[in-house]
Amino acid sequence: MKTITLPLKSAQRLMVASQKLTGPALDPVEIIEHLGYVQIDTISVVERAHHHVFWSRNQKYSPVNLDQLIESRDAFEYWSHAASYLPMKDYRYSLPLKREFQKRETSWYPKDLKMMQQVLTRIRNEGPLRSKDFEMTKQGKSGWWDWKPAKKALERLFLEGKLEITRREGFQKVYDLPENVIPRTVDTTLPSETDFARYLIQRTLQHHGLATVSEIAYMRKSRTKTSVLTTLDQMVADDEVSQVAVEGVEQTYYALRQSLENIPRVSQKIHILSPFDNLVIQRNKLITLFDFDYKIECYVPATKRKYGYFSLPVLQGSRFVARIDCKADRTNQRLMIHSIHYEQKVDQSLLQKKMESKLSAFAKFNGCNAVEYNLN
């Protein structure tokens, strides 16, 4: 099997270009269809991750654009490696996981068949409902209200594909029957194991540029990893995929053959990324290929934090140059900058004007009209 060797800088450029963080801006539907998923997150220190990811690739993006994607049925909610927005055209590839949940007696949520049937009956009779449309029925020992059985049933039905999320009101999920959410033109046939493996390979390599077998089968069960490897071998034999070695890295990667033919140059624009951006979500890959050891510290005790509660990675071109800990004070319309940590060998003086310009744009995206420095 022939292996193509890439210089490290070429590998970095390929990954950044594959993430659409350089080149012409895409519209929101093009972004989600290219990336394959955009992770949903509840933390709102700055604009939530699912909006942040879109904005990083198109600075004209507004949160209303995501509502429009859901309303037009160009996107839907389900589980990827985490709760995510997914392109509707990929709907059938959510079915294997839904079938798996249907078979499980135990899961994150109990299989309470009686309650699940009651929930389904209400939605059939009344139309879309939120969890708070069901009464509280249980109180936990601590005095906090426990997750009510109806809410657990809603989530279980959603995981099994018997309910879909038709929209959100505020951040509250609104559930409905699949036939009322999934357009009739959408393919809902269950993919074969080989089809699903091919999808995982093409989708991952399309938006990551380079990936290992484990990264392609990320968070999937072991037999999927086996089918991914078998399918990869066939795609390499058919010259669709190339095996890649990166100079100085002891790891075997794969890439779509076409993506290696003309790796584009990367603009030197600065990107302030979400901690859940598709480029940075696989932390080990950041260390291996970008020498960037990154994690968010909101779950770390305050006394042990090094970079701040919710530090954001800063990318310039194909190099990570800094981390910014900031918070949107929406009441006073100020983007508060708590700390900026530059990476080693970064010339801060050359970056200062670009950083100020980018932070000004980021402030506007966060509903703020000024940037205020309160450096620790």
Side-chain angles (χ1 to χ4, degrees), residues 41 44 127 132 166 168 226 243 264 296 363:
D41 193 65
S44 57
K132 70 178 185 179
T166 185
R168 288 189 181 232
T226 301
Q243 187 168 290
I296 52 173

Side-chain angles (χ1 to χ4, degrees), residues 17-239:
S18 297
Q19 286 286 337
K20 298 301 181 183
L21 287 166
T22 190
L26 304 181
D27 64 38
V29 70
E30 290 174 322
I31 291 170
I32 197 166
E33 288 186 350
H34 178 81
L35 295 181
Y37 74 89
V38 174
Q39 182 172 333
I40 301 169
D41 193 65
T42 60
I43 299 174
S44 57
V45 175
V46 292
E47 188 60 82
R48 287 187 171 102
H50 39 284
H51 296 308
H52 193 162
V53 169
F54 280 103
W55 179 81
S56 294
R57 290 152 178 84
N58 184 339
Q59 309 247 318
K60 294 181 179 180
Y61 170 84
S62 169
V64 70
N65 297 143
L66 183 53
D67 294 334
Q68 292 166 348
L69 285 184
I70 300 300
E71 185 178 352
S72 64
R73 302 309 186 199
D74 287 309
F76 72 104
E77 285 193 40
Y78 196 59
W79 198 261
S80 178
H81 72 284
S84 302
Y85 290 105
L86 306 160
M88 185 65 79
K89 71 176 193 175
D90 288 354
Y91 178 79
R92 68 187 294 246
Y93 297 105
S94 70
L95 298 178
L97 186 55
K98 290 172 179 175
R99 291 293 178 92
E100 186 179 333
F101 276 116
Q102 290 173 20
K103 295 175 183 177
R104 293 181 187 176
E105 287 300 320
T106 58
S107 182
W108 299 322
Y109 311 105
K111 195 163 190 171
D112 185 341
L113 294 177
K114 182 178 179 180
M115 180 57 68
M116 290 164 68
Q117 187 56 54
Q118 289 175 358
V119 166
L120 280 173
T121 298
R122 276 198 63 183
I123 291 177
R124 286 196 187 100
N125 293 337
E126 301 175 35
L129 294 173
R130 303 159 298 176
S131 64
K132 70 178 185 179
D133 294 318
F134 296 84
E135 292 182 352
M136 287 285 190
T137 58
K138 182 181 179 182
Q139 190 175 25
K141 294 178 181 178
S142 65
W144 291 95
W145 288 107
D146 194 7
W147 243 27
K148 51 195 173 184
K151 183 167 184 176
K152 294 178 181 179
L154 283 166
E155 288 294 330
R156 178 77 192 215
L157 288 163
F158 167 67
L159 288 174
E160 291 188 5
K162 295 172 184 176
L163 286 177
E164 297 287 342
I165 297 170
T166 185
R167 64 181 182 277
R168 288 189 181 232
E169 295 180 358
F171 207 59
Q172 287 281 314
K173 300 173 185 176
V174 182
Y175 300 86
D176 200 357
L177 302 174
E179 55 264 34
N180 297 330
V181 178
I182 309 305
R184 293 182 180 180
T185 54
V186 170
D187 187 353
T188 58
T189 58
L190 183 69
S192 68
E193 194 166 325
T194 299
D195 285 343
F196 186 59
R198 176 176 283 272
Y199 161 76
L200 290 177
I201 294 164
Q202 291 177 326
R203 172 60 74 198
T204 305
L205 297 184
Q206 174 180 292
H207 89 271
H208 276 300
L210 292 170
T212 65
V213 175
S214 294
E215 290 164 353
I216 292 169
Y218 181 57
M219 295 287 285
R220 305 288 179 174
K221 53 192 176 181
S222 58
R223 82 162 182 265
T224 300
K225 186 174 180 179
T226 301
S227 64
V228 162
L229 186 56
T230 301
T231 306
L232 261 176
D233 288 343
Q234 186 59 54
M235 293 176 77
V236 169
D238 293 340
D239 206 24

Side-chain angles (χ1 to χ4, degrees), residues 282-301:
Q282 293 180 352
R283 311 296 198 215
N284 289 336
K285 201 171 193 176
L286 289 186
I287 297 173
T288 304
L289 294 179
F290 290 93
D291 192 25
F292 187 63
D293 189 357
Y294 173 76
K295 68 178 179 180
I296 52 173
E297 297 178 327
C298 53
Y299 307 113
V300 175

Side-chain angles (χ1 to χ4, degrees), residues 262-282:
N262 185 23
I263 300 174
R265 293 187 177 276
V266 173
S267 71
Q268 291 303 299
K269 291 181 179 179
I270 285 180
H271 293 284
I272 299 172
L273 299 178
S274 165
F276 304 104
D277 192 277
N278 297 49
L279 178 63
V280 303
I281 200 64
Q282 293 180 352

Side-chain angles (χ1 to χ4, degrees), residues 317-341:
S318 55
R319 180 187 181 193
F320 286 93
V321 294
R323 309 159 203 243
I324 298 175
D325 185 41
C326 57
K327 179 178 180 178
D329 179 355
R330 299 175 180 90
T331 301
N332 297 304
Q333 296 186 313
R334 294 288 189 270
L335 181 68
M336 307 299 296
I337 309 300
H338 298 310
S339 68
I340 301 176
H341 291 88

